[in-house]
């Protein structure tokens, strides 16, 4: 009798696991890098919870974008890294609404390269290697969305977790990320909506976070050789390792959940707006600035290129299909083009 009861309970547990696995597969764009069974086995560990969060975020954003551009579809590309881990790249190209939209997940592990370790030490990280080796684990979701219509802004977000094991076995960990908006033309109502949505996500955890990370965003996305920001900002943070791992994870989760509501209403509002060839030209010139920042200054791009076995196609997904550089282009004073430049040179407070 007891054996029969045990078998029935085991069968029910297996059925529940199969149902849960089926549900997870339907929720995601592809099977997770670590595998569903492994994630279930380690479901209480933060690394597993973070991987589930970035998978869910990828799926939520991809489905929200696809709903706005039904004539196009995401290509879903799962890839493996021989040094450890892999990722899932979801890219939509040449749609009616989006010229290029990419939402990538990566979960990688291995040994940190000397160049990457040097970059981290330059930020104040004290990393004690054993025989010159630093085992690491990094995971994150990253997206850049370039719309066709110049009245719809480009949007970028990235949320990531990093863990390094030092020579004595202790682990350093931290989170980083942010969400920011890069409009071709300034629409103050859109800017206020975007920033207020992010502020609400931050305020759930600490009222000091939004102003701190808003300024950090303005300072980080600064194109020094142009004397202007890449866009109108948002939030940005890195090396976040307090007050506790759980509290920081919950904050990152709130920020990730704010991506769709902060951006999708703006796309819906403007994706059918009419525009002129001159407005399209200005969009292409602003895209050139976007490329300049990503290739010259962006820390994530640099880290990816310095990581052995990194996937170049996924790293450079952030670049638009089209951009333009004109020699000595200067917009007329008091034009709409000059208006956005003024904000890029002198960031505004959008929520007070």
């Amino acid at each position: 009798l007891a054996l029969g009861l045990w078998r029935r309970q085991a069968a029910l547990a297996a059925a529940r696991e199969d149902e849960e696995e089926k549900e997870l597969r339907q929720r995601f764009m592809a099977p997770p890098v670590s595998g569903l069974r492994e994630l279930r086995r380690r479901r209480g560990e933060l690394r597993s919870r973070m991987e589930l969060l970035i998978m869910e975020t990828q799926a939520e954003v991809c489905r929200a974008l696809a709903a706005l551009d039904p004539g196009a579809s995401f290509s879903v590309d799962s890839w493996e890294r021989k040094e450890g881990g892999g990722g899932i790249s979801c890219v939509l190209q040449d749609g009616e609404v989006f010229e290029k939209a990419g939402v990538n997940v990566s979960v990688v592990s291995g040994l940190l390269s000397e160049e990457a370790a040097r970059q981290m030490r330059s930020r104040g990280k004290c990393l004690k290697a054993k025989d010159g080796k630093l085992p690491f684990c990094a995971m994150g979701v990253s997206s850049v969305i370039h719309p066709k219509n110049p009245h719809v802004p480009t949007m970028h977000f990235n949320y990531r977790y990093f863990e390094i094991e030092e020579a004595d076995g202790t682990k350093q960990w931290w989170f980083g990320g942010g969400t920011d908006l890069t409009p071709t033309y300034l629409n103050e109502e859109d800017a206020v909506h975007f920033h207020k949505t992010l502020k609400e996500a931050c305020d759930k955890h600490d009222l000091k976070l939004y102003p701190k990370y808003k300024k950090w965003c303005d300072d980080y996305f600064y194109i020094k050789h142009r004397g202007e920001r890449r866009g109108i900002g948002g939030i940005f943070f890195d090396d976040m390792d307090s007050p506790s791992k759980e509290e920081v994870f919950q904050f990152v989760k709130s920020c990730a959940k704010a991506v769709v509501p902060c951006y999708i209403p703006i796309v819906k509002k403007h994706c059918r707006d009419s525009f002129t060839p001159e407005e399209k030209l200005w969009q292409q010139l602003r895209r050139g600035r976007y490329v300049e920042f990503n290739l010259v200054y962006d820390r994530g791009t640099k880290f990816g290129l310095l990581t052995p076995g990194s996937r170049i196609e996924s790293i450079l997904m952030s670049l638009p299909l089209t951009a333009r550089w004109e020699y000595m282009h200067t917009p007329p004073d008091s034009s709409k083009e000059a208006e956005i430049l003024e904000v890029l040179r002198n960031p505004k407070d959008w929520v007070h």
Side-chain angles (χ1 to χ4, degrees):
L1 184 62
L3 181 60
L5 181 60
W6 178 83
R7 284 175 174 166
R8 283 197 297 274
Q9 288 174 336
L12 286 171
R16 279 196 299 271
E17 282 195 3
D18 290 343
E19 191 62 34
E20 184 183 346
E21 185 167 327
K22 182 181 177 183
E23 182 189 341
L24 285 174
R25 285 184 182 277
Q26 291 172 343
R27 274 164 52 192
F28 300 152
M29 299 299 289
V33 174
S34 298
L36 288 169
R37 293 188 185 279
E38 181 63 16
L39 286 177
R40 188 187 297 115
R41 190 179 68 80
R42 297 187 288 108
R43 71 177 72 195
E45 295 180 21
L46 189 131
R47 278 171 56 170
S48 296
R49 293 164 65 203
M50 183 64 181
E51 186 169 350
L52 287 170
L53 174 62
I54 61 179
M55 292 293 299
E56 288 168 1
T57 303
Q58 180 185 54
E60 286 171 8
V61 174
C62 286
R63 285 167 185 153
L65 296 175
L68 295 178
D69 206 342
S73 60
F74 277 93
S75 64
V76 180
D77 188 11
S78 296
W79 50 273
E80 291 185 5
R81 177 175 171 271
K82 65 178 182 179
E83 292 82 359
I88 302 153
S89 297
C90 297
V91 180
L92 180 156
Q93 289 186 158
D94 280 325
E96 289 185 15
V97 175
F98 302 108
E99 179 183 286
K100 186 179 181 186
V103 191
N104 287 350
V105 156
S106 63
V107 181
V108 299
S109 58
L111 298 175
L112 207 60
S113 71
E114 273 301 316
E115 294 92 337
R118 197 157 39 241
Q119 189 189 95
M120 290 179 179
R121 289 187 177 108
S122 72
R123 304 203 319 261
K125 293 287 180 191
C126 181
L127 304 175
K128 301 168 188 173
K130 183 177 182 180
D131 300 324
K133 296 178 180 178
L134 280 167
F136 81 96
C137 166
M139 63 183 69
V141 56
S142 180
S143 173
V144 177
I145 300 157
H146 294 292
K148 281 194 168 178
N149 193 309
H151 297 295
V152 181
T154 284
M155 195 268 283
H156 156 262
F157 75 88
N158 171 279
Y159 291 100
R160 57 194 179 275
Y161 172 72
F162 213 97
E163 194 175 274
I164 289 180
E165 185 175 335
E166 296 188 273
D168 60 2
T170 61
K171 290 182 180 177
Q172 284 200 48
W173 60 268
W174 62 89
F175 290 85
T179 304
D180 62 280
L181 197 69
T182 304
T184 302
Y185 289 97
L186 181 63
N187 182 300
E188 295 211 2
E189 187 178 274
D190 296 342
V192 169
H193 165 79
F194 183 80
H195 277 269
K196 276 193 169 180
T197 307
L198 294 179
K199 182 178 184 298
E200 287 168 6
C202 293
D203 286 354
K204 292 176 185 176
H205 302 270
D206 189 332
L207 296 179
K208 296 176 184 176
L209 294 179
Y210 170 76
K212 178 181 178 181
Y213 295 153
K214 192 267 187 192
K215 183 181 185 306
W216 198 341
C217 188
D218 289 334
D219 292 342
Y220 177 76
F221 291 106
Y222 182 59
I223 309 172
K224 296 175 187 175
H225 61 272
R226 297 288 189 181
E228 62 192 43
R229 274 78 189 165
R230 189 177 76 177
I232 62 165
I235 57 172
F236 177 86
F237 58 93
D238 207 353
D239 303 325
M240 193 174 182
D241 57 5
S242 64
S244 72
K245 192 180 281 191
E246 180 62 29
E247 287 171 288
V248 182
F249 172 73
Q250 292 300 331
F251 167 68
V252 168
K253 185 175 181 178
S254 293
C255 293
K257 295 298 181 185
V259 168
V260 168
C262 79
Y263 182 60
I264 294 300
I266 298 174
V267 181
K268 286 181 179 178
K269 181 179 172 184
H270 296 292
C271 64
R272 306 298 175 196
D273 288 0
S274 60
F275 58 88
T276 66
E278 292 75 21
E279 290 171 332
K280 187 66 180 176
L281 170 63
W282 179 243
Q283 181 195 50
Q284 297 298 292
L285 292 168
R286 296 312 308 166
R287 291 260 183 85
R289 298 288 206 269
Y290 203 96
V291 172
E292 288 175 27
F293 178 85
N294 280 29
L295 294 183
V296 176
Y297 298 114
D298 186 68
R299 205 154 68 205
T301 302
K302 287 181 179 180
F303 177 80
L305 295 175
L306 292 173
T307 301
S310 58
R311 190 170 188 265
I312 304 303
E313 286 295 327
S314 297
I315 296 166
L316 298 183
M317 172 213 72
S318 63
L319 303 183
L321 285 185
T322 60
R324 187 178 176 99
W325 288 265
E326 284 192 8
Y327 182 69
M328 297 296 286
H329 183 279
T330 305
D333 292 341
S334 303
S335 64
K336 291 187 298 177
E337 291 78 12
E339 179 186 34
I340 186 69
L341 281 179
E342 173 61 25
V343 172
L344 299 179
R345 290 166 182 160
N346 300 288
K348 288 182 64 173
D349 179 349
W350 298 103
V351 296
H352 296 104

